[in-house]
């Protein structure tokens, strides 16, 4: 046979021609048929209905928490997390050296536990002008065994004695509560006025000693979120974040200009929310419209109504709408958009499950949640895990997981999905989907097993 090579005819050897033709046939055959010899799997995508934009999602470590006994505002919003600060200052839980009284921390944990929420606390070492200073029946905020700066009532932040006592306190708290599932986070506290890491009088703490104060808390609670107030100098805060993987941020002034926080002036701190939580509370002069904007801009996870400067009923329509938006969007607000399954399943087979998620909130969840798929028929349920799909989801996410579905007999099965706390403490996550069942799951549809 001849082929044309440019304008010149050449002769192709017949053996080469046969080999070339055979290779072409094999290639076309492989392209036309799957290598497994099985037909392509027919799939069905189930779209799940969304919940309303302002639907109440009472999940832990997001939205509104209870602060100093204040009831939720408005009362229609669920608030299960509990935060203590004034109740558990240092002089109250350690009146004398190693004379511990943790009854109030126990009470806070019990309160949060009864609600199915998480507890957080801050230990203050210094609280100038605070109410307890004017009550003879309350111990001093600064314990009598803590060294003071000469001629003042300000702790001697840089003395080895202060640091040693602080480390001892945190170690004892960690031994008692470090593994308690009801405990969600610990404010570093310790240093500065109100434990907010700023001082009005006396010498400030050195950076080295400041890092030691932080590390005493993160070392005592290595599996919990630990927060430092963002009134600290930027470079110090960045150094603390680098040194402590479980350290997040806090500001006490949501709704005030720039939250009186260094986060607003530094882009590096503004990126921390992607992997570290950022908690807040309303400023005593807060503007709810500005606060709602800050929740989105700075990716705030939690906020509190404990010291709001206004009554909710007194807000005008624009302020009330902004306040509702702040509550609804603070933290994670995850919705399952769709779930894709084979139309039919062979008993005992492994199947591909595809999920599509969207986070309508301001921040991700920073904790592990297990996504589970349940097949139910005639009252018998088989559940399989799709794994930790949601931690760190910021905007949207698509996942594909292959799972075995053992024990399924022939028949038609109802399928539901749930997002479960692997520790068994928290209730299944409330998703931004309609149709939550009493068990905390969401119905997807049905499939057949052959």
């Amino acid at each position: 046979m001849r082929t044309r090579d440019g304008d010149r005819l050449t002769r192709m050897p017949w053996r080469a021609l046969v080999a070339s033709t055979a290779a072409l046939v094999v290639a076309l055959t492989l392209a036309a048929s799957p290598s497994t010899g099985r037909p392509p799997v027919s799939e069905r995508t189930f779209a799940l209905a969304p919940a309303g934009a302002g639907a109440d999602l009472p999940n832990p470590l997001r939205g509104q928490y209870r602060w100093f006994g204040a009831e939720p505002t408005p009362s229609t919003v669920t608030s299960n997390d509990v935060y203590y600060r004034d109740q558990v200052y240092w002089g109250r839980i350690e009146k004398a050296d190693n004379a511990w009284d943790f009854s109030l921390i126990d009470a806070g944990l019990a309160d949060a536990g009864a609600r199915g929420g998480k507890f957080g606390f801050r230990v203050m070492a210094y609280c100038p002008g605070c109410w307890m200073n004017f009550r003879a029946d309350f111990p001093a905020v600064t314990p009598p065994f803590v060294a003071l700066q000469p001629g003042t009532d300000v702790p001697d932040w840089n003395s080895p004695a202060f640091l040693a006592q602080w480390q001892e306190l945190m170690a004892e708290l960690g031994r008692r509560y470090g593994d308690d599932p009801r405990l969600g986070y610990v404010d570093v506290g310790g240093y500065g006025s109100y434990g907010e890491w700023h001082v009005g009088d006396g010498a400030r703490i050195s950076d080295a000693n400041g890092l030691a104060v932080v590390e005493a808390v993160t070392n005592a609670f290595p599996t919990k979120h630990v927060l430092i107030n963002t009134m600290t100098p930027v470079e110090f805060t960045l150094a603390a974040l680098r040194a402590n993987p479980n350290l997040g941020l806090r500001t006490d002034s949501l709704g005030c200009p720039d939250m009186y926080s260094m986060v607003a002036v530094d882009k590096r701190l503004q990126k921390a929310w992607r992997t570290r939580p950022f908690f807040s509370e309303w400023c005593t002069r807060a503007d709810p419209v500005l606060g709602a904007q800050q929740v989105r801009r700075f990716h705030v996870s939690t906020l509190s109504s404990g010291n709001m400067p206004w009554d909710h009923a007194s807000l005008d329509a624009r302020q009330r709408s902004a306040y509702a938006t702040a509550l609804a969007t603070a933290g994670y607000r995850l919705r399952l958009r769709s779930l894709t399954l084979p139309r039919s399943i062979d008993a005992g087979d492994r199947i591909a499950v595809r999920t599509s998620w969207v986070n309508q909130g301001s921040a991700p969840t920073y904790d592990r949640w297990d996504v589970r798929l349940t097949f139910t028929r005639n009252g018998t349920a088989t559940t399989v895990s799709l794994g930790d799909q949601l931690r760190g989801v910021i905007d949207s996410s698509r996942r594909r997981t292959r799972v075995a579905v053992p024990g399924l007999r022939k028949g038609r099965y109802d399928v539901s999905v749930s997002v479960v706390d692997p520790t068994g403490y928290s209730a299944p996550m409330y998703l931004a989907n309609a149709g939550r069942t009493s068990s905390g799951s969401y119905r997807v549809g049905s499939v057949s097993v052959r």
Side-chain angles (χ1 to χ4, degrees):
M1 178 178 178
R2 293 184 177 182
T3 63
R4 181 172 297 275
D5 181 9
D7 292 330
R8 183 163 49 95
L9 292 176
T10 60
R11 184 178 299 275
M12 177 180 288
W14 70 270
R15 290 187 178 85
L17 174 62
V18 171
S20 176
T21 303
L24 178 60
V25 170
V26 171
L28 290 173
T29 301
L30 290 175
S33 303
S35 59
T36 60
R38 299 174 61 181
V41 174
S42 177
E43 294 182 326
R44 180 180 176 186
T45 296
F46 300 90
L48 279 74
D56 188 25
L57 302 183
N59 294 315
L61 303 186
R62 70 151 307 278
Q64 185 174 200
Y65 58 89
R66 291 172 177 263
W67 189 88
F68 205 51
E71 288 298 309
T73 304
S75 59
T76 54
V77 174
T78 306
S79 181
N80 293 331
D81 292 347
V82 177
Y83 177 64
Y84 278 9
R85 188 162 71 218
D86 291 28
Q87 300 98 314
V88 293
Y89 60 83
W90 194 350
R92 202 172 185 186
I93 60 178
E94 192 179 9
K95 296 181 180 68
D97 193 13
N98 292 327
W100 312 109
D101 180 0
F102 295 119
S103 59
L104 285 163
I105 292 180
D106 291 336
L109 287 163
D111 188 8
R115 303 176 190 280
K118 294 283 190 174
F119 179 63
F121 68 93
R122 175 197 299 176
V123 176
M124 299 184 293
Y126 180 54
C127 197
C130 291
W131 62 271
M132 64 284 286
N133 293 324
F134 305 100
R135 294 277 300 269
D137 55 333
F138 277 79
V141 175
T142 306
F145 53 85
V146 170
L148 302 178
Q149 297 184 36
T152 74
D153 62 350
V154 182
D156 187 358
W157 314 112
N158 292 303
S159 68
F162 171 81
L163 294 174
Q165 290 287 356
W166 177 256
Q167 290 163 344
E168 181 182 68
L169 169 65
M170 287 299 122
E172 183 64 24
L173 286 168
R175 279 192 291 271
R176 288 173 177 263
Y177 304 114
D179 295 325
D180 195 317
R182 298 170 297 176
L183 181 63
Y185 65 97
V186 181
D187 276 359
V188 169
Y191 169 63
S193 300
Y194 327 113
E196 293 179 358
W197 284 72
H198 61 85
V199 292
D201 299 313
R204 66 177 296 275
I205 199 168
S206 70
D207 285 354
N209 289 335
L211 289 174
V213 168
V214 175
E215 288 170 1
V217 187
T218 58
N219 289 342
F221 298 96
T223 64
K224 305 296 182 182
H225 301 298
V226 177
L227 310 174
I228 188 169
N229 200 289
T230 53
M231 296 184 76
T232 49
V234 170
E235 294 303 327
F236 173 83
T237 309
L238 291 170
L241 290 172
R242 286 193 297 268
N244 300 279
N246 61 327
L247 184 66
L249 302 177
R250 179 186 177 92
T251 182
D252 292 339
S253 299
L254 183 72
C256 278
D258 286 340
M259 303 180 296
Y260 303 144
S261 164
M262 300 306 292
V263 170
V265 301
D266 190 86
K267 292 188 179 300
R268 293 167 296 178
L269 291 179
Q270 291 169 17
K271 296 178 181 178
W273 68 274
R274 293 180 174 274
T275 55
R276 322 283 186 111
F278 185 21
F279 290 6
S280 189
E281 69 184 49
W282 290 100
C283 178
T284 54
R285 296 183 296 278
D287 171 12
V289 176
L290 178 59
Q293 295 168 355
Q294 291 169 339
V295 166
R296 273 295 186 187
R297 179 186 173 193
F298 298 110
H299 306 280
V300 175
S301 284
T302 68
L303 43 86
S304 164
S305 59
N307 54 353
M308 287 191 308
W310 21 256
D311 180 78
H312 184 260
S314 68
L315 300 178
D316 62 33
R318 179 169 176 261
Q319 292 172 325
R320 194 170 299 178
S321 174
Y323 181 75
T325 298
L327 292 182
T329 58
Y332 57 98
R333 191 178 182 85
L334 292 156
R335 177 166 69 90
L336 179 57
R337 289 191 292 198
S338 65
L339 188 144
T340 301
L341 294 169
R343 288 186 181 274
S344 60
I345 302 170
D346 290 332
D349 200 4
R350 288 179 62 85
I351 63 171
V353 182
R354 291 189 283 120
T355 52
S356 175
W357 301 90
V358 61
N359 187 356
Q360 299 171 332
S362 62
T365 176
Y366 301 93
D367 295 314
R368 183 173 178 265
W369 293 87
D370 188 21
V371 179
R372 295 182 182 177
L373 203 61
T374 299
F375 299 84
T376 305
R377 179 174 179 265
N378 297 333
T380 301
T382 298
T383 299
V384 295
S385 172
L386 303 182
D388 180 13
Q389 297 192 349
L390 299 179
R391 182 169 42 180
V393 173
I394 293 169
D395 185 7
S396 61
S397 173
R398 295 179 182 273
R399 298 293 180 94
R400 183 181 185 275
T401 309
R402 289 191 65 85
V403 293
V405 284
L408 297 185
R409 298 182 178 181
K410 292 182 180 180
R412 194 149 195 88
Y413 286 78
D414 288 329
V415 181
S416 61
V417 67
S418 57
V419 182
V420 177
D421 174 9
T423 71
Y425 170 70
S426 296
M429 184 188 292
Y430 285 78
L431 300 177
N433 289 97
R436 182 181 175 91
T437 69
S438 59
S439 66
S441 65
Y442 297 81
R443 188 174 185 277
V444 174
S446 62
V447 296
S448 64
V449 175
R450 59 195 180 191

